[in-house]
Amino acid sequence: MIKMLFITIAEYFDKIENVSSRLEMTDYLAELFEKTNKEEIKKIIYLLQGQVAPTFEGKEIGFGEKLIAEGISKATGFTRKEIEESFSKKGDLGEVVEEMLIKKSQGSLFTKELTLKKVFENFEKMSLREGIGSQETKIKLLAELFNSSTQKEAKYIARIPLGNIRLGVGDPTIMDSIAIMIAKQEKNWLKLKEEEKRKIKQKLREKIEKAYNVYSDLGEISEIIKEKGINGLKKVEIKTGTPIRPTAAERLPSAKEIIKKLGKCAVEAKYDGFRILISKDDNEIKIFSRQSENITKMFPEIIEAVKQLKSKKLFIEGEALAFNEETNEYYPFQITIQRKRKYDVEKKAKEYPLQLFLFDIVYLEGKNLMEKPFKERRKILESIIKENEIIKLSEMKIINSAKELEKFFEEKISQGLEGIMAKDLDAPYIAGARKFSWIKLKRSYKGNLDDTLDLVIIGYYTGKGKRTQFGLGALLVAAYNKEKDLFESIAKIGTGMTEEILKELEERLSKIKTIKNVRIISELKPDYWVEPKIVIEVRADEITKSPLHSCAKEETGLALRFPRMIKFRNDKKPEQATTTNEVKQMYSKQKKVSVELFGQKE
Ligand code: ATP
């Protein structure tokens, strides 16, 4: 097979950048995937994710805008100042290098043909460089790529290391496109009816997602499919060192409703810290975040404690949080999150030691435990964990009635915890999904609008008055429509940000401005659209019907009343934001509560 040229990819990326619907986007991507061999598809998927390896390997290309600008300068001969000026106008280094190469190419006659392999190799080399002297090498490797690329290729080469290729391609789109690629190999594909085609694609998509849930590496999954077909995925199994996709909790507004749903169930304290997944393979311990990042280095004390466990191979999950030994209380989340850092980890570990509360086990000594009911997994967990200063089991109780649940809840609240988690005793571990096997009940649920929402910023308005100095007046945010893989507007947020947050917002948002992305659905038009990347936590008084917003349009649109930004949720991907379905559920729960409390009817 002829080696894939990078220009083929850049051309497809260009088509994808200019599509008007998500369907077109997946079709183009599927078409590109069809042209690849197993190594190429893998590489393209990583590059689409702004990486050279799956997230959990932690191989960052490690480029900031400054280094890229240096690379552009080295390759084109334009000065840093000229590049910066152009960047401040365009807001995208991809377009900057494109323009500079157009100007420069008047002088140069030809460029060498660039292969995908070469581009990938150079980025891989960059990811291996760290420390003193590494920057020079990185700039050289990047400039080398620019020197042998056309303008179109250079545009994407500049964007890849920033992890922002600006195509709006998320994991669900990649999975859809792989499914289409396989479906098209079906006999008589072109003659099939649309409904039949849809069913075939859906089945394939489910199989891909099932594999992805236990093995968070879409690159490798695509490679297996190319080599062995969809049946090759049957052998994809949970394995130490490779994170699974975490399960998530549903919410219900009262103890009564939880018991109605689950009957006899387990209740646990809900700790407000970091959710971590720990893999142990003898003495090799790895810790992953819920976004599958490798965050091992941030938890030295937990690593040491896990090493002491007798079991050789396991995957356990829990919540780590900072504990104040003097007052015997947990610190708030803002303190725990300080551990999320690259430097001075040891110092922070001394200042705010963490405790780990384990609440699940999904793998032990070569055996996948995910299909086992929760009550059995918990027994296994209890049998292998010997509690100590650092490692504990989450506090758990089996209850039968709403009264007991209510009592446990009040007890936890009075201890300063944020609520409880109820768990279905018979449910398997449902990776990658939010189902009623876990139900959370929090302090704030009692009464009108219960929980906060995690929403994705899709645009912003420039401010007036005091805020103008930050160039930011209000945010336009969206919920995630999981079925359609789209971001639907739900609120405009003008208040609740401290100056510090405003500054950070402006800095981050100005880097991800975009011409409207096809996955954004909004009738309101902000001054600037941004790539749906940043997730924030939002509190509001109520969910109301509103034709202005696109969330749950079939119900005339749902919106938030008096929304306030609380904090960044950097631990969440946009696809992990509150979904349109959850908003609908919250809306109907809220209606129900208000009918119960005030006897109102709509
Ligand atoms: P929230 O903002 O309510 O934490 P979320 O969207 O971040 O919600 P969910 O998956 O809905 O996350 O809520 C479950 C989270 O609660 C888990 O991700 C985990 O981090 C945390 N948690 C704390 N204590 C427990 C426990 N005992 N069992 C399971 N999860 C727990």
Side-chain angles (χ1 to χ4, degrees), residues 4 6-33 35 48 98 152-153 155-156 159 165-169 184 516-518:
M4 182 164 245
F6 194 70
I7 186 69
T8 312
I9 296 162
E11 273 162 4
Y12 270 98
F13 283 3
D14 236 24
K15 285 185 196 166
I16 292 170
E17 196 171 3
N18 293 309
V19 293
S20 53
S21 78
R22 187 182 170 273
L23 272 183
E24 263 181 88
M25 179 159 97
T26 41
D27 281 342
Y28 277 134
L29 198 56
E31 214 177 283
L32 171 62
F33 287 166
K35 296 186 174 7
L48 276 169
E98 194 181 16
K152 205 174 270 181
E153 290 168 304
K155 176 162 102 182
Y156 294 102
R159 288 176 183 177
I165 204 161
R166 291 177 189 239
L167 297 181
V169 173
K184 281 161 90 179
K516 198 175 163 190
N517 177 311
V518 285

Side-chain angles (χ1 to χ4, degrees), residues 429-467:
Y429 186 94
I430 307 170
R434 193 181 289 280
K435 293 275 162 65
F436 281 96
S437 57
W438 285 9
I439 306 175
K440 53 187 173 182
L441 180 66
K442 292 205 243 176
R443 182 173 23 198
S444 47
Y445 288 18
K446 318 208 98 193
N448 35 36
L449 180 61
D450 38 27
D451 204 2
T452 53
L453 294 90
D454 297 325
L455 301 171
V456 185
I457 305 179
I458 53 172
Y460 67 94
Y461 297 82
T462 46
K464 294 193 185 78
K466 184 174 142 231
R467 291 241 162 88

Side-chain angles (χ1 to χ4, degrees), residues 247-251 268-275 290 318-319 359 394-395 418 421 423 434 438 440 442 445 451-452 454 537 569 571-572 576:
T247 190
E250 278 287 355
R251 42 170 93 68
E268 296 188 15
K270 186 173 193 302
Y271 307 94
D272 195 12
F274 270 129
R275 174 167 184 175
R290 64 201 246 171
E319 191 88 357
F359 52 70
S394 61
E395 189 184 345
E418 64 168 352
M421 291 286 260
K423 296 185 178 177
R434 193 181 289 280
W438 285 9
K440 53 187 173 182
K442 292 205 243 176
Y445 288 18
D451 204 2
T452 53
D454 297 325
E537 185 174 341
R569 286 295 308 249
D571 58 327
K572 282 198 161 183
Q576 290 170 324

